[in-house]
Amino acid sequence: MSQEQQYKNKEQAATLGTETQKNGAFDATVASAEKKQKNWFQRWGNRFTKAFDYVHEKSVAFNEKGFDTNDMVRAAKKLEDGGFGDGTKIAAFAEKAQWAVNNPKEFLNKANETISTKLYKFFAEGGYKTINGIRDTALEGAQKLKDSRMNLSKRVEALRGTKNGQEVHNATLDVNKLAGNLLVQGDNFIITSMTRQRAAEMNKNTDMNNAKYAYAAANGHSSAQHAGPKMDMFKNFANMHGGGHGAHDHGGDHH
Amino acid sequence: MTIQEAKKFFEGSEFSAETKEKISSVLEGKETLDPYTVLEIKAAMQAELAKDFADIDISGSEEALRIEKTYNAEVAQIESDLKADMTFVEEELKELDTIHKDLTRISDDIQADKIRESI
């Protein structure tokens, strides 16, 4: 069949399909495909924008006040009320965030245990993990998603010409699932960035205290004598728990 | 270090009652000295030390400038990384959009075939 004939057949089918759609039989017409495609990207694009705004808001709160589970709950509630459209993950997130506030003692232990609380894990780990380590973890997650997307692309390529609607449907579900995971990955990146900023700030504070202590000691300032034992304690404690100063970034990248 | 050991570690320390109280509340109910708790404890100690050195002014000194420069460079790197990370997410979403469009076309072809067969 010539390309022109194929096109004519498609157009004819599309016209018929549109007519059938009016009767409520099905909606998979060429004519409606354009609209569906646009809606799909708009939906995910919109969710991404909202996700970005949401984590930015958390980031501002985090930088101003430090870690606060109530901030998470407020942000999650906001999302639940008008956030990511049909994002059931967000509703679950809000529920879990509320649980975290009600059960602060169990919160951190649980956060390290389950994948569904990955977001909390990133928060909980913030500031203690070395600067490079936390982003490396996020980059590993991103690479896995990219691999999944490339595999999915090959799978869809192999589906061209298929008559198996179920396989196409399953692949579509996987595309949506992957898009959802990408949004979570976006959150992880932002939270990672927040924790790295927090770690950098703490490193700066430590360096500044050290410098002031050295200056005070060299100039016979009374604060050196007063703060000396506390400085030693801080150093001892920091050395026992991941060092007194975070490591510097490896400068990892997406491949 | 266990929670008990941590409590003991700070009990006899030179830190103020206020800082000890803060550290004690951070440790309250914890089973293990998790990383976030370590962060909070370090932050509490840092805050008191910063107060102790409040009247030490080293701004403008070479060391202070070096610290600021290091910090600014780290923050710039972090922001640059985040930009790359966000670009990655956006590009992956666009790639997914392309895959989705392909799937929609394949699905439409299947439906079109069904219609042709039924005509």
Side-chain angles (χ1 to χ4, degrees):
Chain A
M1 191 188 295
S2 70
Q3 271 195 335
E4 193 182 358
Q5 189 58 46
Q6 276 182 346
Y7 178 74
K8 278 181 182 171
N9 285 349
K10 215 170 193 178
E11 284 292 292
Q12 189 187 16
T15 309
L16 281 168
T18 307
E19 290 302 314
T20 319
Q21 190 186 9
K22 282 178 189 168
N23 297 326
F26 71 90
D27 64 356
T29 65
V30 174
S32 70
E34 296 271 327
K35 196 179 166 189
K36 280 192 296 182
Q37 285 160 9
K38 198 178 172 192
N39 285 346
W40 185 91
F41 191 58
Q42 267 179 350
R43 183 158 65 90
W44 287 111
N46 200 27
R47 285 181 64 173
F48 179 73
T49 306
K50 282 178 179 169
F52 190 87
D53 289 347
Y54 145 70
V55 284
H56 175 70
E57 185 183 306
K58 281 194 296 189
S59 175
V60 170
F62 186 83
N63 287 332
E64 284 175 357
K65 294 180 288 185
F67 182 82
D68 182 354
T69 46
N70 283 307
D71 279 340
M72 289 166 66
V73 171
R74 275 193 290 273
K77 284 278 179 206
K78 189 184 163 203
L79 277 179
E80 198 183 17
D81 293 342
F84 294 174
D86 61 346
T88 49
K89 276 182 184 171
I90 304 307
F93 172 74
E95 191 184 315
K96 281 172 182 156
Q98 187 60 57
W99 174 86
V101 169
N102 294 337
N103 304 276
K105 291 175 190 173
E106 292 87 1
F107 164 61
L108 286 168
N109 291 335
K110 281 279 177 195
N112 286 320
E113 290 169 7
T114 59
I115 295 169
S116 61
T117 52
K118 199 176 169 188
L119 206 58
Y120 305 144
K121 193 164 177 278
F122 268 89
F123 265 113
E125 288 178 347
Y128 87 88
K129 268 207 163 186
T130 54
I131 287 178
N132 52 355
I134 194 163
R135 184 161 183 260
D136 286 348
T137 307
L139 286 173
E140 280 171 26
Q143 188 56 47
K144 281 178 188 167
L145 288 179
K146 189 172 182 176
D147 291 345
S148 297
R149 192 263 302 160
M150 288 170 85
N151 287 335
L152 195 54
S153 182
K154 285 176 194 163
R155 197 171 126 202
V156 171
E157 187 63 33
L159 279 176
R160 285 184 197 285
T162 185
K163 291 188 186 300
N164 189 335
Q166 187 58 47
E167 276 188 35
V168 176
H169 178 67
N170 290 343
T172 305
L173 290 180
D174 287 344
V175 169
N176 287 334
K177 192 178 166 189
L178 198 50
N181 288 339
L182 264 174
L183 291 184
V184 173
Q185 183 65 42
D187 274 1
N188 286 344
F189 276 136
I190 294 168
I191 292 161
T192 297
S193 180
M194 285 156 58
T195 56
R196 291 174 69 198
Q197 282 187 38
R198 176 75 165 146
E201 192 186 321
M202 287 196 72
N203 289 342
K204 179 188 164 188
N205 292 341
T206 300
D207 287 346
M208 204 57 94
N209 282 340
N210 286 339
K212 285 185 175 183
Y213 177 62
Y215 177 88
N219 290 280
H221 199 286
S222 62
S223 63
Q225 204 174 3
H226 174 67
K230 290 189 270 189
M231 287 293 288
D232 289 341
M233 272 204 99
F234 180 85
K235 281 177 189 169
N236 286 340
F237 185 78
N239 286 335
M240 278 188 273
H241 300 284
H245 203 302
H248 293 274
D249 185 49
H250 280 160
D253 212 346
H254 300 281
H255 301 289
Chain B
M1 186 183 268
T2 64
I3 295 293
Q4 283 308 317
E5 284 168 344
K7 281 180 179 171
K8 238 178 184 175
F9 185 82
F10 290 105
E11 260 172 21
S13 76
E14 302 283 328
F15 281 98
S16 68
E18 189 188 345
T19 300
K20 282 181 190 172
E21 177 58 35
K22 190 168 184 182
I23 291 171
S24 178
S25 70
V26 168
L27 291 169
E28 190 62 38
K30 297 275 165 62
E31 290 169 11
T32 55
L33 198 59
D34 62 77
Y36 180 68
T37 306
V38 170
L39 167 72
E40 287 296 283
I41 291 171
K42 282 164 79 173
M45 287 193 284
Q46 266 188 351
E48 181 165 334
L49 286 165
K51 274 185 195 169
D52 288 345
F53 298 128
D55 50 359
I56 304 282
D57 184 10
I58 58 164
S59 59
S61 71
E62 266 185 38
E63 183 62 0
L65 291 174
R66 185 196 63 76
I67 293 166
E68 281 293 338
K69 196 177 167 186
T70 303
Y71 173 72
N72 290 337
E74 278 190 31
V75 170
Q77 181 64 52
I78 292 165
E79 285 173 358
S80 164
D81 287 343
L82 180 61
K83 199 175 173 188
D85 295 341
M86 288 298 104
T87 302
F88 165 83
V89 174
E90 280 181 305
E91 282 175 357
E92 282 298 302
L93 273 176
K94 279 179 191 164
E95 292 288 344
L96 276 179
D97 183 47
T98 304
I99 296 173
H100 190 266
K101 279 176 182 163
D102 286 346
L103 279 169
T104 307
R105 283 190 199 104
I106 294 168
S107 177
D108 287 340
D109 284 346
I110 293 172
Q111 294 298 339
D113 281 346
K114 281 183 184 171
I115 293 166
R116 271 198 302 274
E117 284 164 13
S118 67
I119 295 172

